[in-house]
Amino acid sequence: MLTDREQRALKEIERGLSATDPRLSAKLARGSGRPRRRRSALEVLAIFTSVVLVATGAFDTRPGMVVAGVVGLAVLLGGPFAVRHWKAGSSR
């Protein structure tokens, strides 16, 4: 909660912004216009695949399956981040 003094200062800043840059002021008042972000299908697929690989590696002691579990853990930790990063780069 802002104090009265802080609220007055904020109102003054808003008035100044409206006077100097009305387009920016209107855009900020509208908000971003984007709905809350949902996970993409690629992110969900990366998470699902990694969970399956981790479970396989945890319950099957064959060396290949242990490696699959380690790879699954890496995908689980980095996959969604990598997909978001890739999508952000491709939209530029």
Side-chain angles (χ1 to χ4, degrees):
M1 185 80 181
L2 298 175
T3 65
D4 289 338
R5 181 174 169 234
E6 292 168 333
Q7 288 177 352
R8 284 191 302 271
L10 182 58
K11 292 286 185 196
E12 184 62 35
I13 292 169
E14 289 173 348
R15 280 193 295 273
L17 177 62
S18 294
T20 59
D21 195 347
R23 281 183 60 199
L24 177 61
S25 178
K27 186 175 181 179
L28 292 174
R30 281 192 311 267
S32 68
R34 295 186 331 185
R36 289 177 56 198
R37 190 183 173 294
R38 294 184 183 172
R39 291 202 184 273
S40 72
L42 283 175
E43 288 173 304
V44 172
L45 181 63
I47 291 170
F48 178 75
T49 302
S50 62
V51 168
V52 169
L53 289 173
V54 168
T56 301
F59 295 111
D60 194 334
T61 58
R62 290 181 290 178
M65 294 297 108
V66 172
V67 170
V70 171
V71 169
L73 185 60
V75 172
L76 180 63
L77 296 175
F81 172 76
V83 169
R84 267 188 252 140
H85 181 71
W86 171 72
K87 283 178 66 177
S90 66
S91 66
R92 289 181 193 170

